[in-house]
Amino acid sequence: MAVFNLNINGKQQQVDVDPSTPVLWVLRDHLNLTGTKFGCGIAMCGACTIHLDGNATRSCVLPVSSIGDKQITTIEGLSEEGDHPVQQAWLEHDVPQCGYCQAGQIMSAAALLKQNPSPSDEEIENAMNGNICRCGTYVRIKQAIKSASTTN
Amino acid sequence: MTLLKTSIGRRSFLKTSALAGGGFMLSFSWLGACQTKPEDALAMPKEWFELNGYLKVGDNGVVTIMSPNPEIGQNVKTSMPMIVAEELDVDWKNVIVEQAPLNTDIFVRQLAGGSQSIRQGWKGLRMAGATARHMLREAAATTWNVPASEITTEAGMLHHKASGKSAGFGEMASAAAKLDVPKEVELKDNKDFKIIGTSRKNVDGPKIVTGKPLYGLDYRKEGMLIAMIAHAPAFGMKLKSVDDTEARSMPGIKDVFTIKSYEDDYPRQWCDVSSFPELVVVVGNSTWEVMNARKALKLEWEQFSDHSQTVSNFQGGSNDVKVPAGLENSAKHMQMMAQYATKSGKVVRKDGDPAKAFKNAAKVIERTYTAPFLAHNTMEPMNFFAHVTDDKAELVGPIQTPEFMEKSVSARIGLPLEKIDIQMSRMGGGFGRRLYGHFLVEVAVISQKMKAPVKLIYTREDDMSFGTYRPTYHAVYRAALDKDNNLVGFHVRAGGIPESPLFANRFPAGAVDNYLAEDWSIESNISVGAFRAPRSNFIAGAEQAFLDEVAEAAGKDPIDFRLDLLKRAQDNPVGENNDYEANRYAGVLELVKQKSNWGEDSSGTYRGVAAYFCHNTYVAHVLDLAMEDGKPRVQKVHCAVDCGIVVNPIAATNLCEGGSVDGIGHAMFSGLTFTDGVPDQQNFDKYRLVRHKEAPRAVDVHFVENGIDPTGLGEPPFPPVIGALANALYKATGKRQYNQPFMTEGIKLG
């Protein structure tokens, strides 16, 4: 066990955990931030996507010991009022079915739009390809990302 | 106006009222606690008045409506309360939705399965709203001393035109709650619907996009421990020995022990499917610690011998189901299925003289179709919470069959049903997997032993290797054409491991004079269960791909070919037991033909069509496909649907989009294979699901408008799209696809 000081959603948080613990489980088990989802544990489904210094990162394979002073943003911290343009677009298009993967989808989409405010269809597909939606809401996800992009 | 007898008994109301004092609200302490916009914006009333088990009206006019059924992504948590709100005549923006508790005295069929929630809930939900509206009108009539028949309602308001009096529902709620339940109530005419048929956003949407705790896996309780299980690595094996010395000594670990989720002599319910009742359990403080300790277990397994399981049947008796010994292999499965298909099966339906028709045929077409086992792969892996004490059990989590699993838990832990409380959380997918709730029993047994609140978590590997899989299937179709290319004989012989996918009375039965349907099955120790549109999920694609090939051989347009057969089935059906309405079947084909501009030049894209009827709903697809860098990519799916009244168009459209994507994805990429009983794919590195780059670029959904009582949409859009895909692939490549998944190794067409 070791103590880690983490910057999560703009706040300093301290946890005492095994250094190999993935950030996913630090968030979910130790900090009660359950918006970040467990899907596969091997970075193949994207449900656990967070931002690490603004970049979309799979938290299920990210040891807490590797974070240092990098800033973590989770779905809970994407916006204060739940009104990030991507979140608003998701509601506008009524994207979710079961909804379980959507936090990860939203985090990937928000990171994409930050780097590329008006992505093409192909760029959207490339950026989002690591996020599986088992309900098959891909068409709406793409529509929502286009709504939230500056091309719209 | 329709008059409907209220079948909700007085007892239900009394029971609800009694609950309203305390336990009722307490049971929502978690699931109802996380309010977000727009509910936050609603001022909470000082007092609630329960008019019946489905709804309560606040003194300020805010209404809480219960959503009775489990929510797996089919959107019933929005659409079922919409139906109540319609008949209550309340403004939807003043409605708060809560997940109802499990209470089968009040709610009918609290189950997510068979696409039946809306269809079977329709009358009861309307009645609940209409009954409350009736009581509010009665209360206003007494207060104002006017006839109730003169009181109208609109958007949560009561009006008496002659006297000019008006009041909000909230003002009359207290008086209404004291009234007797009416014996019969008026239902609205369809033309007066203001909520049904209008698009209403998912009531959980704001919570989903902000990451609020909604799912079973998000649940936590003070002092809660985490548990994981280790099961046999292969179907056909059982536990031999456990060395837990190292695991026990690892940090954060509370205990390691073995359990039997089901005792050997327990008569299992249908939903108690589990190939691995004997489990090694690791319990500890946190998920990561438990995961690591589980890896340190040294477990030995051995093959079991032939045995049988007692499974109770719906008639109250029980059957002994044989579980064969052995470690099964997919290659062997394929050989065995091919072999079985050469022999006559059990005749399930025979019309006319099929043997003679085939003997005299000018042309005979025979084709064979197969599909592999599938794992459900809900994005949220199996999990459940339990806190079992000496006198009660509290369970929270994702389950499609809470009413049934309550009985299994009760039998296993020795507490009566009334001491068991199951709360339904929103589910991160169901697809049939969560009909089978062995994990509830497991966590209850673990909590009982630990004397502590416990959350059981499956990893993806646990989930994929401990499945209730879609069976592997095989179907041989034969068609006989006469010299004028009329379809004069049709023969299907279908089977699978361990069940046949056949529906003998579905189209084209009823449309062909000489028809023969046979089925067969092969025993297996691999556990299977319902998977989105059970059996239809294979047989529809096979049948619709075959009909395409027959139409081509007959030199006919594939839509006209089907419409001709359906006309025959409508005008002069063969046999009496045909499981479809030919005119509605033809209706979706005609609609999709029109909306897709079928027959016009679609330069650069290749088209396939298919239609199917299952789960009471008719769906037809036209699929446009293009080859991009040598790979097929669906450009657009045109989807025509007849599910009667569409309750919530935005969500219904979403389900049809998703069902189409899901069907295409599974047919194209997915499959679970076995080597010596071990699933070869245990995570998404090897198990392929459709991804963004492979999804259709667009899905256009069109609904038939006919005012018929609604039917479900969770399953019906899935099966036929597989046929449309196969048929479009043929147009694009000149090669027919007979074996799913169509893409081998996920990269090239088979």
Coordinates of all heavy atoms in Angstrom, one line a residue, chain B residues 27-62:
Chain B
S27 N -37.9 1.9 0.5 CA -37.3 1.0 -0.5 C -36.7 1.8 -1.7 O -36.1 1.3 -2.5 CB -38.4 0.1 -1.0 OG -39.4 0.8 -1.8
F28 N -37.0 3.1 -1.8 CA -36.5 3.9 -2.8 C -35.3 4.8 -2.4 O -34.8 5.6 -3.1 CB -37.5 4.9 -3.4 CG -38.6 4.1 -4.1 CD1 -39.8 3.9 -3.5 CD2 -38.4 3.5 -5.3 CE1 -40.8 3.2 -4.2 CE2 -39.3 2.8 -6.0 CZ -40.6 2.7 -5.4
S29 N -34.8 4.5 -1.2 CA -33.8 5.3 -0.6 C -32.6 5.5 -1.5 O -32.0 6.5 -1.6 CB -33.3 4.8 0.7 OG -32.9 3.5 0.6
W30 N -32.3 4.4 -2.3 CA -31.1 4.6 -3.2 C -31.5 4.9 -4.6 O -31.1 5.9 -5.2 CB -30.3 3.3 -3.2 CG -29.1 3.4 -4.1 CD1 -28.1 4.2 -4.0 CD2 -29.0 2.7 -5.4 NE1 -27.3 4.1 -5.1 CE2 -27.8 3.2 -5.9 CE3 -29.8 1.8 -6.0 CZ2 -27.4 2.7 -7.2 CZ3 -29.3 1.3 -7.2 CH2 -28.2 1.7 -7.8
L31 N -32.4 4.0 -5.1 CA -32.7 4.2 -6.5 C -33.4 5.5 -6.8 O -33.3 6.1 -7.9 CB -33.6 3.0 -7.0 CG -32.8 1.7 -7.0 CD1 -33.8 0.5 -7.2 CD2 -31.7 1.6 -8.0
G32 N -34.2 6.0 -5.9 CA -34.9 7.2 -6.1 C -34.2 8.5 -5.6 O -34.7 9.6 -5.8
A33 N -33.1 8.2 -5.0 CA -32.5 9.4 -4.3 C -31.7 10.3 -5.2 O -31.7 11.5 -4.9 CB -31.5 8.8 -3.3
C34 N -31.2 9.9 -6.3 CA -30.4 10.7 -7.1 C -31.2 11.5 -8.1 O -31.2 11.1 -9.3 CB -29.2 9.9 -7.7 SG -29.7 8.2 -8.1
Q35 N -31.9 12.5 -7.7 CA -32.6 13.3 -8.6 C -31.7 14.2 -9.4 O -30.8 14.8 -8.9 CB -33.7 14.1 -7.9 CG -34.6 13.3 -7.0 CD -35.7 12.6 -7.8 OE1 -35.8 12.8 -9.0 NE2 -36.4 11.7 -7.1
T36 N -32.0 14.3 -10.7 CA -31.3 15.3 -11.5 C -32.3 16.1 -12.3 O -33.5 15.8 -12.3 CB -30.3 14.7 -12.4 OG1 -30.9 13.6 -13.1 CG2 -29.1 14.1 -11.7
K37 N -31.8 17.0 -13.0 CA -32.8 17.8 -13.9 C -33.4 16.8 -14.9 O -32.8 15.9 -15.3 CB -32.0 18.9 -14.7 CG -31.6 20.0 -13.7 CD -31.0 21.1 -14.5 CE -29.6 20.8 -15.0 NZ -28.9 21.9 -15.7
P38 N -34.7 17.0 -15.3 CA -35.5 18.1 -14.9 C -36.3 18.0 -13.6 O -36.9 18.9 -13.2 CB -36.5 18.2 -16.1 CG -36.7 16.8 -16.5 CD -35.4 16.1 -16.3
E39 N -36.2 16.7 -13.0 CA -36.9 16.5 -11.8 C -36.6 17.5 -10.7 O -37.4 18.0 -9.9 CB -36.7 15.1 -11.3 CG -37.3 14.0 -12.2 CD -36.2 13.5 -13.1 OE1 -35.4 14.3 -13.6 OE2 -36.2 12.3 -13.4
D40 N -35.3 17.8 -10.7 CA -34.8 18.8 -9.6 C -35.6 20.1 -9.7 O -35.8 20.8 -8.7 CB -33.3 19.1 -9.9 CG -32.5 18.1 -9.1 OD1 -33.0 17.4 -8.3 OD2 -31.2 18.0 -9.4
A41 N -35.9 20.4 -10.9 CA -36.6 21.7 -11.1 C -38.0 21.7 -10.6 O -38.5 22.8 -10.3 CB -36.6 22.1 -12.6
L42 N -38.5 20.5 -10.4 CA -39.9 20.5 -9.9 C -39.9 20.7 -8.4 O -39.1 20.1 -7.6 CB -40.5 19.1 -10.1 CG -40.8 18.8 -11.6 CD1 -41.3 17.3 -11.7 CD2 -41.8 19.7 -12.2
A43 N -40.8 21.6 -7.9 CA -40.9 21.8 -6.5 C -41.5 20.5 -5.9 O -42.5 20.0 -6.4 CB -41.7 23.0 -6.2
M44 N -40.9 20.0 -4.8 CA -41.5 18.8 -4.2 C -42.7 19.2 -3.3 O -42.7 20.2 -2.7 CB -40.4 18.1 -3.3 CG -39.3 17.4 -4.1 SD -40.0 16.0 -5.1 CE -39.8 16.7 -6.8
P45 N -43.7 18.3 -3.4 CA -44.9 18.6 -2.6 C -44.6 18.4 -1.1 O -43.7 17.7 -0.7 CB -45.9 17.6 -3.1 CG -45.1 16.5 -3.7 CD -43.8 17.1 -4.2
K46 N -45.5 19.0 -0.3 CA -45.4 18.7 1.2 C -45.9 17.3 1.5 O -45.5 16.7 2.4 CB -46.2 19.8 1.9 CG -45.5 21.2 1.9 CD -46.3 22.1 2.8 CE -45.9 23.6 2.6 NZ -46.3 24.1 1.3
E47 N -46.9 16.9 0.7 CA -47.6 15.6 1.0 C -47.9 14.9 -0.3 O -48.3 15.6 -1.3 CB -48.9 15.9 1.8 CG -49.3 14.7 2.6 CD -50.5 15.0 3.5 OE1 -50.8 16.2 3.7 OE2 -51.0 14.0 4.0
W48 N -47.8 13.6 -0.3 CA -48.1 12.8 -1.4 C -49.4 12.0 -1.1 O -49.6 11.6 0.0 CB -47.0 11.7 -1.7 CG -45.8 12.2 -2.3 CD1 -44.6 12.4 -1.7 CD2 -45.5 12.7 -3.7 NE1 -43.6 12.8 -2.5 CE2 -44.2 13.0 -3.7 CE3 -46.3 12.8 -4.8 CZ2 -43.6 13.5 -4.9 CZ3 -45.8 13.2 -6.0 CH2 -44.4 13.6 -6.0
F49 N -50.2 11.8 -2.2 CA -51.4 11.0 -2.0 C -51.4 9.9 -3.0 O -51.4 10.2 -4.2 CB -52.7 11.9 -2.2 CG -52.8 13.0 -1.1 CD1 -52.3 14.3 -1.5 CD2 -53.2 12.8 0.1 CE1 -52.3 15.3 -0.6 CE2 -53.2 13.8 1.1 CZ -52.7 15.1 0.7
E50 N -51.5 8.7 -2.5 CA -51.4 7.5 -3.4 C -52.8 7.2 -3.9 O -53.7 6.9 -3.1 CB -50.9 6.3 -2.7 CG -49.5 6.4 -2.3 CD -48.8 5.1 -2.6 OE1 -49.4 4.2 -3.2 OE2 -47.6 5.1 -2.4
L51 N -53.0 7.3 -5.2 CA -54.3 7.0 -5.7 C -54.4 5.5 -6.1 O -55.5 4.9 -6.1 CB -54.7 7.9 -6.9 CG -54.8 9.4 -6.5 CD1 -55.4 10.2 -7.7 CD2 -55.5 9.6 -5.3
N52 N -53.3 5.0 -6.5 CA -53.1 3.5 -6.6 C -51.7 3.2 -6.7 O -50.8 4.1 -6.6 CB -53.9 3.0 -7.8 CG -53.5 3.6 -9.2 OD1 -52.3 3.6 -9.5 ND2 -54.5 4.1 -9.9
G53 N -51.4 1.9 -6.8 CA -50.0 1.5 -6.7 C -49.1 2.1 -7.8 O -47.9 2.1 -7.6
Y54 N -49.7 2.5 -8.9 CA -48.9 3.0 -10.0 C -48.5 4.5 -9.8 O -47.6 5.0 -10.5 CB -49.6 2.8 -11.3 CG -49.7 1.4 -11.8 CD1 -50.6 0.5 -11.3 CD2 -48.8 1.0 -12.8 CE1 -50.7 -0.8 -11.8 CE2 -48.9 -0.3 -13.3 CZ -49.8 -1.2 -12.8 OH -49.9 -2.4 -13.3
L55 N -49.3 5.2 -9.0 CA -49.0 6.7 -9.0 C -49.5 7.3 -7.7 O -50.3 6.8 -7.0 CB -49.7 7.3 -10.2 CG -51.3 7.3 -10.2 CD1 -51.8 8.6 -9.6 CD2 -51.8 7.1 -11.6
K56 N -48.8 8.5 -7.4 CA -49.2 9.3 -6.3 C -49.2 10.7 -6.8 O -48.3 11.1 -7.6 CB -48.3 9.1 -5.1 CG -46.8 9.2 -5.4 CD -46.0 8.7 -4.2 CE -44.5 8.8 -4.5 NZ -43.7 8.3 -3.4
V57 N -50.1 11.5 -6.3 CA -50.2 12.9 -6.7 C -49.8 13.8 -5.5 O -50.3 13.6 -4.4 CB -51.7 13.2 -7.1 CG1 -51.8 14.7 -7.5 CG2 -52.1 12.3 -8.3
G58 N -48.9 14.7 -5.7 CA -48.5 15.6 -4.7 C -49.5 16.8 -4.5 O -50.3 17.1 -5.4
D59 N -49.5 17.4 -3.3 CA -50.5 18.5 -3.1 C -50.3 19.7 -4.0 O -51.1 20.5 -4.2 CB -50.5 18.9 -1.6 CG -49.1 19.3 -1.1 OD1 -48.2 19.5 -2.0 OD2 -48.9 19.3 0.1
N60 N -49.1 19.7 -4.7 CA -48.8 20.8 -5.6 C -49.0 20.4 -7.0 O -48.7 21.1 -8.0 CB -47.4 21.3 -5.4 CG -46.4 20.3 -5.7 OD1 -46.7 19.1 -5.9 ND2 -45.1 20.7 -5.9
G61 N -49.6 19.2 -7.2 CA -49.9 18.7 -8.6 C -48.8 17.9 -9.3 O -49.0 17.4 -10.4
V62 N -47.6 17.9 -8.6 CA -46.5 17.0 -9.2 C -47.0 15.5 -9.0 O -47.6 15.2 -8.0 CB -45.2 17.3 -8.5 CG1 -44.2 16.2 -8.9 CG2 -44.7 18.7 -8.8

